Amino acid sequence: MSTYVKTTQDGRKVEVIDGWLCLGGARETDTLVPLIEHPNRQAISKAVPGATHMGGRIPLRHDEAAIAQGAMDVAKRDFANDPVAISERFRKVVWAKAQLEGVE
């Protein structure tokens, strides 16, 4: 499932696909950073007036960030309640613990 967020100036679609913000179909990030918390906020504000959030390399206005964050939250909520996803998370944790203990 994908949720359209915007189209970039060069024509690539920005969408949320399976909980990831994607640029042209390629995963970019799974979190948004408010511009006031971004280390390069001054340069971003100068280059993209109106941007309030960053999603990886993608500047987003407030309305676009709300769409993206809402779609990512829905995907995470669906994933968190899926029995297959729950068992997969447990499998990964058990395997990571075993690797730390020296199992190959």
Side-chain angles (χ1 to χ4, degrees), residues 4-27:
Y4 174 80
V5 177
K6 72 176 191 173
T7 302
T8 61
Q9 289 179 346
D10 62 358
R12 294 181 288 176
K13 286 174 42 174
V14 177
E15 302 172 291
V16 175
I17 302 172
D18 296 329
W20 286 81
L21 187 66
C22 299
L23 177 61
R27 287 181 173 182

Side-chain angles (χ1 to χ4, degrees), residues 21-93:
L21 187 66
C22 299
L23 177 61
R27 287 181 173 182
E28 188 70 26
T29 186
D30 63 347
T31 57
L32 298 181
V33 176
L35 195 57
I36 59 172
E37 296 175 10
H38 198 281
N40 204 11
R41 64 185 162 272
Q42 292 175 337
I44 295 167
S45 293
K46 188 175 180 180
V48 187
T52 60
H53 290 76
M54 289 297 293
R57 300 173 291 156
I58 306 168
L60 300 168
R61 294 188 323 256
H62 183 72
D63 58 330
E64 297 164 342
I67 293 168
Q69 189 64 59
M72 288 189 286
D73 290 346
V74 167
K76 288 177 186 175
R77 187 171 41 246
D78 291 346
F79 180 78
N81 295 328
D82 181 22
V84 174
I86 292 169
S87 65
E88 179 65 13
R89 286 196 303 272
F90 276 124
R91 185 191 69 77
K92 286 181 180 179
V93 168

